[in-house]
């Protein structure tokens, strides 16, 4: 739209940057006094209301600006003006007041129509002295009506922007502006198509858009183009307003929460301080003046949580980080997490997570920054091995082979440590500067040789890792596996940490939980390292055979995680998921315990050196009970050695008839029961004496009170009243000579040896074999082999009258039922073959085997007896069961000579056999069975 009177030239008025005037909009700008006077003269000289050209000024154009976008002075000087402007009417000109003459004039302009300046533009040297020089202008004509879709998009964008501005005003509680925006929205929705472009000028002038977008919109002459650019500006401004509102709201909420939490915490600290002061005053009034129990700090408690304690804790963490070796991985991680901690507000959850991590990280004894001089001094002691032997002898009785192996182990540890210390000392001596005398002429001049570079020194000065074997103590419960590990720690003067692996089914229990999980923490290995406080402690991995078999499930395999821990080639950089920094475990002495080897994986077993602890003999148990267990129970129950005297017969009765185990735990419990019984008797006796004294003191006369006299001696006949009926007495009575019953030797699930009867009976049937007792596949095959051998030699044993007859079908068909008692226990293995043969021979011939004879051994179809394992456990179990004669394979003679204690061999008779004929002769006696000399045709299968 053009002005009614459109003069070809208008007085030029540059608008200060970044102001832009649009048609149908108003603007107020300050002008200088000279410019104000010139404008007054212009108004007075004009016949009507004059028009002026309000043209925006530009900053110096950047490189690559399109030609024609801006027009400069022909001379290249002055202020850059925009090509497009707006013809405006002067609405108001306000002069400065007399009280403030230095204030500028205020000029209010109202846009009328778009104009374009004719080139070349005059130079505008200063905005403080605008003289309103006339300059030719062009009034562009509007071409047609805008398209309908452009009008709709303009209205949609405008409504969205006005709604957004109304919401922003609502947050600021400006009700007047909100009402203005609501009216503008209603007007926008009702505006016609021919007036839409004019309304667009008003809205664009109203919003606070970007300067470049406004200049682009000012140059739009076509109504459709103008509406498109207006819609673009509105959409952009609405998006910016939405994002800004979200950011402002988030920042406001965060600041409000932090400020509120800080305020509440300060109030809580103040309240606690007042309560503590009140409590101290009340306590101080109740006590006598000068009480020695009053503390120097005015009664403050270490549980008081204040800013001082918090600052001390943070300072302690910082000191530990600074004490780490420069350049080490743990120091880099600690510094990085410390910087994160300082940036996070104290009340946030992430602050607690990072601080907990730093506490774990700084409390670990890192090998790069921790010295082990105390352990080295212990190993350098010349009496180290002698003290180690004394320590083992004081803690354990017997176990001579185990002690000898442990002494070898400790000697190797000592030699490796001392050798490493000598190498380190030589390296340190080389790293120091040396001074030598060099002869120059007739004078000796000292010359100093510099030390090697630090990088070379660091490479040659590495610590020697402990690559010794991982000891694995295998044996039944109660034989002293755990206490042996403790004795090693005492001998080395190192901290001892025990990790129970029983029931551990999650790999994270070993490697730690990752920090992304809630309540995450390091694994058991790193926790033990933290508690020990030294990188060279003794770590006992207890019950390693009871680690839950994850086998790659959702929780992983903890047994596989132990492979890295127990491998000397890998544990120098153990990776804990929580710490996430390589942890050096090469200086840790790992000792494992187990009851059985069956459930331990082969790779894990390959990393360990197995040391068998089979159990104790009766003599060893008596010695342990008298010198270790009884004094321990006396101390635990408040008695002295003079209060109880256990006879040797009583101890033997407890060890043989009330307990029958490889270890001494049940024996200790039985002795504890005896001590507690005598403690009650002693207490009753003392109470009765006190009552007698009190009555005598009141009456002055002697009063006879019947009280039970205390007897400190405990004999064998007293045990039944204390411990009850003997557990193994009935078993001893049942062991009598019976047809078809033979006693074999077994190793039970916990590694304990014992005896197991093999029972057979004949029932009517068709010549079959029935097996019961929860038997495995191997032991079933042994029973079938035994029956086949007996059938083949039935004629030679005078069971049948002809070699071709089946002893189970002639004269009457029968079935043989073979049973092994204790059906609740799974039984398997080939070592019961010789006992099954003897039981079947006893059943068919009627001969019996004495109950004090037990046997073990595997048999073949050819009648050979082959060696088996677990001889020591079986022999000790038979000794505990009062067996006097044992039949063993000839191949196990070396096991008896090397493993079985001498006192056991002196009390028992061992017969070694190579064939079943020899075994039958030893079991039934030389004349116990009748043999035919001509046994018929012997047919054997040979490979």
């Amino acid at each position: 739209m053009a002005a009614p009177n459109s003069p070809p030239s208008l007085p030029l008025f540059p608008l200060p940057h970044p102001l832009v005037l649009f048609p149908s909009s108003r603007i107020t700008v300050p002008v200088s006094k000279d410019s104000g006077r010139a404008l007054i003269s212009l108004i007075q000289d004009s016949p009507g209301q004059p028009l002026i050209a309000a043209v925006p000024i530009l900053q110096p154009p950047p490189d690559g600006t399109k030609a024609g976008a801006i027009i400069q002075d022909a001379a290249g000087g002055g202020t850059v003006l925009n090509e497009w402007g707006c013809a405006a009417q002067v609405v108001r000109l306000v002069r400065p007041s007399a009280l403030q003459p230095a204030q500028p004039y205020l000029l209010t302009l109202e846009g009328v129509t778009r104009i374009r300046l004719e080139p070349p533009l005059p130079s505008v040297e200063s905005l403080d002295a605008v003289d309103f020089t006339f300059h030719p202008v062009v009034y562009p004509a509007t071409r047609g009506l805008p398209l309908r879709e452009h009008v709709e998009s303009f209205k949609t964008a405008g409504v969205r922007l006005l709604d957004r501005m109304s919401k922003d005003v609502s947050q600021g509680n400006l009700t007047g502006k909100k009402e203005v925006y609501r009216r503008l929205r209603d007007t926008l929705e009702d505006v016609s198509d021919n007036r839409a472009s004019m309304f667009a000028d008003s809205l664009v002038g109203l919003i606070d858009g970007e300067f470049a977008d406004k200049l682009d919109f000012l140059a739009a002459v076509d109504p459709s183009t103008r509406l498109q650019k207006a819609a673009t500006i509105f959409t952009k401004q609405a998006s910016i307003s939405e994002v800004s509102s979200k950011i402002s709201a988030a920042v406001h909420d965060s600041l409000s929460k932090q400020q509120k939490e800080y305020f509440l915490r300060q109030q809580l600290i103040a309240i606690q301080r007042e309560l503590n002061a009140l409590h101290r005053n009340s306590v101080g009034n109740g006590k006598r003046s000068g009480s020695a129990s009053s503390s120097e700090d005015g009664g403050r408690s270490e549980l008081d949580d204040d800013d001082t304690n918090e600052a001390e804790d943070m300072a302690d963490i910082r000191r530990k980080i600074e004490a780490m070796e420069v350049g080490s991985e743990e120091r880099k991680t600690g510094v990085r997490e410390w910087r994160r901690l300082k940036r996070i507000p104290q009340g946030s959850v992430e602050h607690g997570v990072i601080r907990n991590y730093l506490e774990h990280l700084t409390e670990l004894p890192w090998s790069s920054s921790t010295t082990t001089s105390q352990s080295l001094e212990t190993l350098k002691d010349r009496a180290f091995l002698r003290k180690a032997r004394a320590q083992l002898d004081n803690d354990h009785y017997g176990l001579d082979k185990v002690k000898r192996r442990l002494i070898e182990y400790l000697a190797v540890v000592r030699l490796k440590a001392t050798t490493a210390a000598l190498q380190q000392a030589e390296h340190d001596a080389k790293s120091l500067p040396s001074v030598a005398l060099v002869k120059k002429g007739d004078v000796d001049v000292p010359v100093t040789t510099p030390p090697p570079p630090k990088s070379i020194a660091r490479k040659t000065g590495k610590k020697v890792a402990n690559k010794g074997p991982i000891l694995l103590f295998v044996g039944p419960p109660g034989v002293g596996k755990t206490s042996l590990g403790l004795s090693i720690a005492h001998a080395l003067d190192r901290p001892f940490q025990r990790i129970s692996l029983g029931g551990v089914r999650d790999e994270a229990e070993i490697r730690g939980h990752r920090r992304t999980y809630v309540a995450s923490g390091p694994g058991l290995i790193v926790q033990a390292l933290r508690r020990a406080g030294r990188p060279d402690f003794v770590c006992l991995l207890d019950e390693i055979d009871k680690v839950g078999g994850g086998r790659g499930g959702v929780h992983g395999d903890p047994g596989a995680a132990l492979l890295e821990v127990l491998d000397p080639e890998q544990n120098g950089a153990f990776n804990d998921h929580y710490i996430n920094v390589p942890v050096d475990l090469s200086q840790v002495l790992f000792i494992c315990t187990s009851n059985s080897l069956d459930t331990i994986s082969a790779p894990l077993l390959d990393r360990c050196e197995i040391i068998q602890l089979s159990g104790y003999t009766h003599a060893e148990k008596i010695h342990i009970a008298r010198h270790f267990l009884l004094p321990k129970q006396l101390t635990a129950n408040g008695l002295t050695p003079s209060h109880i005297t256990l006879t040797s017969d009583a101890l033997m009765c407890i060890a043989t008839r009330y307990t029958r185990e490889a270890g001494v735990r049940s024996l200790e419990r039985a002795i504890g029961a005896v001590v507690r019984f005598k403690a009650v008797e002693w207490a009753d006796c003392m109470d009765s004496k006190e009552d007698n004294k009190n009555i005598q003191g009141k009456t002055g006369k002697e009063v006879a009170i019947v009280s039970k006299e205390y007897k400190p001696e405990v004999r064998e006949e007293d045990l039944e009243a204390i411990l009850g009926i003997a557990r193994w007495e009935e078993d001893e009575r049942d062991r009598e000579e019976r047809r078809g019953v033979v006693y074999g030797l077994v190793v039970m699930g916990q590694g304990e040896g014992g005896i197991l009867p093999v029972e057979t009976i004949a029932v009517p049937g068709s010549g079959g074999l029935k097996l019961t007792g929860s038997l495995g596949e191997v032991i079933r095959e042994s029973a079938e082999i035994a029956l086949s051998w007996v059938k083949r030699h039935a004629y030679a044993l005078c069971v049948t009258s002809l070699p071709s007859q089946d002893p189970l079908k002639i004269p009457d068909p029968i079935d043989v039922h073979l049973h092994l008692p204790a059906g609740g226990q799974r039984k398997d293995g080939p070592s019961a073959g010789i006992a099954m043969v003897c039981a079947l021979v006893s059943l068919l011939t009627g001969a019996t085997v004495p109950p004090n004879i037990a046997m073990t051994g595997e048999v073949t179809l050819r009648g050979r007896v082959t060696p088996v394992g677990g001889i020591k456990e079986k022999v000790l179990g038979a000794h505990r069961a009062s067996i006097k004669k044992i039949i063993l394979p000839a191949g196990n003679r070396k096991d008896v000579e090397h493993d079985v204690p001498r006192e056991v061999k002196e009390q028992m008779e061992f017969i070694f056999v190579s064939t079943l004929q020899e075994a039958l002769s030893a079991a039934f006696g030389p004349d116990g069975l009748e043999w035919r000399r001509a046994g018929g045709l012997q047919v054997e299968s040979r490979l």
Side-chain angles (χ1 to χ4, degrees):
M1 178 182 78
N5 298 321
S6 302
S9 61
L10 295 175
L12 193 63
F13 177 68
L15 291 174
H17 182 82
L19 298 179
V20 181
L21 179 62
F22 297 99
S24 305
S25 62
R26 289 187 178 187
I27 190 173
T28 300
V29 294
V31 295
S32 63
K33 292 183 179 180
D34 296 337
S35 300
R37 296 189 186 101
L39 182 58
I40 291 174
S41 300
L42 177 65
I43 295 173
Q44 291 176 352
D45 295 340
S46 299
Q49 190 176 12
L51 292 176
I52 62 175
V55 182
I57 64 173
L58 302 177
Q59 296 293 336
D63 296 337
T65 305
K66 296 181 180 180
I70 58 175
I71 298 176
Q72 298 186 16
D73 180 20
T79 304
V80 179
L81 297 177
N82 189 44
E83 179 185 6
W84 292 86
C86 182
Q89 291 181 345
V90 178
V91 177
R92 184 172 56 180
L93 181 62
V94 180
R95 295 177 180 180
S97 64
L99 297 177
Q100 296 178 344
Q103 294 293 327
Y105 284 76
L106 294 179
L107 174 62
T108 301
L109 300 175
E110 182 177 358
V112 177
T113 183
R114 283 173 171 80
I115 59 172
R116 184 170 60 85
L117 304 183
E118 291 282 358
L121 296 179
S123 177
V124 180
E125 299 295 339
S126 176
L127 295 178
D128 294 334
V130 179
D131 53 1
F132 295 96
T133 304
F134 282 82
H135 188 83
V137 296
V138 177
Y139 299 92
T142 302
R143 298 182 295 273
L145 295 175
L147 297 178
R148 183 61 187 170
E149 56 270 17
H150 295 162
V151 176
E152 293 297 332
S153 63
F154 161 71
K155 289 183 178 182
T156 303
V159 169
R160 177 188 174 191
L161 176 60
L162 291 173
D163 290 341
R164 183 71 256 174
M165 296 172 69
S166 178
K167 290 181 179 179
D168 294 342
V169 169
S170 299
Q171 296 177 0
N173 295 325
L174 299 177
T175 310
K177 282 191 176 183
K178 181 178 180 182
E179 183 65 22
V180 172
Y181 292 142
R182 187 186 63 79
R183 291 180 180 179
L184 287 175
R185 183 182 184 279
D186 296 339
T187 305
L188 177 61
E189 292 178 347
D190 298 336
V191 72
S192 59
D193 294 352
N194 58 345
R195 298 185 60 85
S197 59
M198 297 175 58
F199 198 75
D201 292 336
S202 301
L203 286 181
V204 174
L206 179 64
I207 65 175
D208 186 17
E210 295 185 2
F211 182 67
D213 294 337
K214 287 187 176 184
L215 293 182
D216 190 24
F217 179 76
L218 182 62
V221 179
D222 182 64
S224 294
T225 306
R226 198 183 309 169
L227 293 180
Q228 288 179 352
K229 293 185 177 181
T232 303
I233 294 174
F234 294 164
T235 303
K236 184 177 181 180
Q237 286 300 118
S239 301
I240 293 174
S241 178
E242 290 176 357
V243 175
S244 301
S245 299
K246 290 181 180 179
I247 295 175
S248 300
V251 172
H252 181 268
D253 294 342
S254 177
L255 291 177
S256 299
K257 181 180 179 181
Q258 294 175 13
Q259 292 172 356
K260 182 178 180 181
E261 183 176 358
Y262 176 78
F263 178 72
L264 292 176
R265 287 185 180 274
Q266 293 300 320
Q267 282 188 332
L268 180 61
I269 292 174
I271 293 172
Q272 289 178 347
R273 189 180 298 113
E274 292 297 329
L275 289 175
N276 292 334
L278 181 63
H279 176 69
R280 290 194 297 269
N281 293 335
S282 62
V283 173
N285 294 332
K287 290 184 177 180
R288 295 190 304 269
S289 60
S291 175
S293 62
S294 61
S295 59
E296 297 179 357
D297 58 353
R300 285 182 54 83
S301 172
E302 61 181 3
L303 302 179
D304 292 341
D305 187 12
D306 54 12
D307 295 338
T308 304
N309 295 333
E310 181 72 16
E312 290 178 356
D313 294 342
M314 297 298 291
D316 185 52
I317 294 176
R318 177 167 183 166
R319 284 193 300 268
K320 291 179 180 179
I321 295 177
E322 293 174 347
M324 294 179 180
E325 184 181 8
V326 178
S328 61
E329 188 69 23
E330 59 271 13
R331 183 186 177 96
K332 294 178 181 178
T333 304
V335 171
R336 183 174 63 252
E337 295 296 330
W338 174 265
R339 291 174 178 173
R340 287 184 59 199
L341 181 67
K342 301 304 289 184
R343 291 194 300 265
I344 296 176
Q346 185 176 359
S348 65
V349 178
E350 187 68 18
H351 185 278
V353 173
I354 297 178
R355 178 171 176 177
N356 187 34
Y357 172 77
L358 284 176
E359 288 178 354
H360 283 287
L361 182 70
T362 54
E363 289 181 5
L364 289 179
W366 298 99
S367 57
S368 59
S369 56
T370 305
T371 59
T372 56
S373 57
Q374 181 180 0
S375 177
L376 186 60
E377 293 297 328
T378 303
L379 294 175
K380 287 182 178 180
D381 188 3
R382 294 184 178 180
F384 170 74
L385 293 180
R386 176 168 53 81
K387 294 180 179 178
R389 291 190 183 95
Q391 182 72 41
L392 292 174
D393 291 337
N394 292 333
D395 295 342
H396 301 83
Y397 178 75
L399 305 177
D400 295 333
K401 290 187 177 181
V402 176
K403 291 179 182 178
R404 183 168 62 250
R405 178 63 187 94
L406 292 181
I407 292 298
E408 296 172 357
Y409 179 76
L410 296 176
V412 171
V413 171
R414 178 193 183 192
L415 292 176
K416 291 178 65 176
T418 53
T419 302
L422 291 176
Q423 294 177 355
Q424 184 67 28
E426 294 177 359
H427 166 72
D428 294 341
K430 292 179 181 179
S431 62
L432 296 176
S434 58
V435 179
L437 296 178
V438 179
K439 199 160 191 176
K440 291 185 178 181
D442 297 335
V443 181
D444 293 335
V445 179
V447 178
T448 303
T449 303
K454 292 184 178 181
S455 59
I456 300 178
R458 190 177 293 113
K459 292 181 181 179
T460 56
K462 293 182 179 179
K463 295 184 179 181
V464 178
N466 176 34
K467 295 187 178 181
I470 307 297
L471 300 182
L472 173 58
F473 297 143
V474 181
V479 296
K481 301 184 294 297
T482 303
S483 57
L484 279 174
L486 184 59
S487 299
I488 294 176
H490 289 165
L492 292 172
D493 194 17
R494 296 186 182 184
F496 176 78
Q497 292 294 324
R498 173 180 171 270
I499 300 176
S500 179
L501 298 177
V504 174
R505 298 183 177 274
D506 193 349
E507 180 186 359
E509 296 290 334
I510 306 297
R511 289 191 175 274
H513 296 269
R514 300 190 185 274
R515 293 174 60 188
T516 54
Y517 295 99
V518 178
S520 59
L524 295 174
I525 304 297
V526 174
Q527 290 181 20
L529 180 63
R530 178 186 178 185
R531 292 192 300 268
R534 285 173 53 180
D536 59 344
F537 70 105
V538 177
C539 182
L540 180 72
L541 301 178
D542 206 5
E543 308 293 348
I544 197 173
D545 58 327
K546 297 175 180 61
V547 174
R551 304 293 182 259
V554 293
H555 298 294
D557 187 4
L562 288 174
L563 297 178
E564 182 182 0
V565 177
L566 299 180
D567 193 344
E569 301 295 336
Q570 303 180 29
N571 60 11
F574 174 69
N575 182 26
D576 186 272
H577 291 163
Y578 180 80
I579 300 298
N580 204 22
V581 176
V583 180
D584 185 11
L585 300 178
S586 60
Q587 302 182 52
V588 181
L589 292 181
F590 288 103
I591 300 175
C592 307
T593 66
S594 172
N595 296 130
S596 174
L597 300 177
D598 299 335
T599 57
I600 303 178
S601 63
L604 188 59
L605 200 60
D606 182 65
R607 286 164 168 77
C608 304
E609 178 181 347
I610 302 173
I611 298 179
Q612 294 283 351
L613 284 79
S614 301
Y616 299 104
T617 63
H618 291 320
E620 292 174 342
K621 284 187 176 182
I622 298 302
H623 186 278
I624 293 172
R626 189 170 295 281
H627 294 86
F628 294 92
L629 303 182
L630 183 58
K632 178 180 178 181
Q633 290 298 324
L634 290 175
T635 303
N637 292 278
L639 298 179
T640 61
S642 60
H643 291 129
I644 296 180
T645 302
L646 273 173
T647 63
S648 300
D649 294 338
L651 284 177
M652 181 62 69
C653 180
I654 294 175
T656 55
R657 298 178 59 188
Y658 287 92
T659 63
R660 186 171 293 181
E661 57 174 352
V664 292
R665 288 181 181 171
S666 297
L667 179 61
E668 182 179 5
R669 285 191 289 267
I671 293 176
V674 174
V675 172
R676 290 191 299 271
F677 183 85
K678 300 302 290 184
V680 174
E681 285 190 352
W682 172 252
D684 292 340
C685 179
M686 295 299 296
D687 292 342
S688 61
K689 290 182 179 180
E690 289 294 331
D691 294 340
N692 191 6
K693 290 181 180 179
N694 293 335
I695 296 175
Q696 183 177 356
K698 291 179 180 180
T699 59
K701 299 180 180 179
E702 293 185 2
V703 179
I705 299 178
V706 179
S707 61
K708 185 178 180 181
E709 184 181 357
Y710 179 76
K711 297 180 180 180
E713 185 180 17
V714 179
R715 294 173 294 179
E716 181 180 357
E717 53 268 19
D718 300 332
L719 294 178
E720 186 171 350
I722 301 174
L723 300 177
I725 301 176
R727 179 180 177 184
W728 304 102
E729 186 176 4
E730 296 181 358
D731 183 67
E732 298 292 338
R733 294 175 180 176
D734 291 341
R735 278 169 48 187
E736 58 183 3
E737 292 190 27
R738 292 186 180 182
R739 180 177 179 177
V741 177
V742 175
Y743 290 91
L745 299 178
V746 296
V747 178
M748 301 178 185
Q750 299 294 335
E752 302 176 1
I755 63 173
L756 182 69
V758 179
E759 302 175 349
T760 58
I761 60 172
V763 296
S766 57
L769 176 63
K770 183 178 182 181
L771 302 174
T772 57
S774 186
L775 308 182
E777 190 65 27
V778 177
I779 200 169
R780 287 178 175 273
E781 292 179 355
S782 298
E784 294 176 357
I785 293 174
L787 181 60
S788 299
W789 188 89
V790 172
K791 286 183 178 182
R792 181 66 186 83
H793 296 81
Y795 178 75
L797 291 169
C798 301
V799 176
T800 60
S801 56
L802 294 175
S804 59
Q805 292 178 344
D806 187 350
L808 302 186
K809 295 183 179 180
I810 296 177
D812 296 324
I814 60 173
D815 287 341
V816 174
H817 186 177
L818 189 147
H819 175 69
L820 274 66
Q825 299 177 358
R826 183 71 177 174
K827 308 173 188 67
D828 204 357
S831 60
I834 184 174
M836 290 180 176
V837 170
C838 292
L840 293 174
V841 171
S842 173
L843 176 66
L844 297 178
T845 61
T848 58
V849 177
N852 60 350
I853 297 178
M855 60 198 73
T856 183
E858 183 181 1
V859 299
T860 66
L861 284 174
R862 297 164 54 196
R864 303 295 178 89
V865 179
T866 57
V868 294
I871 293 299
K872 182 178 180 181
E873 291 82 357
K874 294 176 180 179
V875 171
L876 293 180
H879 179 261
R880 288 190 292 269
S882 303
I883 297 295
K884 301 301 182 181
K885 184 177 181 181
I886 297 180
I887 303 174
L888 300 174
N892 291 118
R893 182 187 297 271
K894 58 183 182 298
D895 298 319
V896 175
E897 294 175 354
H898 290 85
D899 297 338
V900 178
R902 178 176 54 83
E903 58 271 18
V904 175
K905 291 188 289 186
E906 293 176 353
Q907 298 177 11
M908 304 180 70
E909 179 184 0
F910 296 91
I911 300 178
F912 302 97
V913 297
S914 300
T915 62
L916 280 176
Q917 286 84 355
E918 297 177 359
L920 292 175
S921 177
F924 293 96
D927 301 328
L929 296 176
E930 182 180 356
W931 291 82
R932 286 193 176 94
R933 295 187 178 275
L937 182 62
Q938 299 290 333
V939 180
E940 292 184 356
S941 174
R942 300 176 182 271
L943 296 178

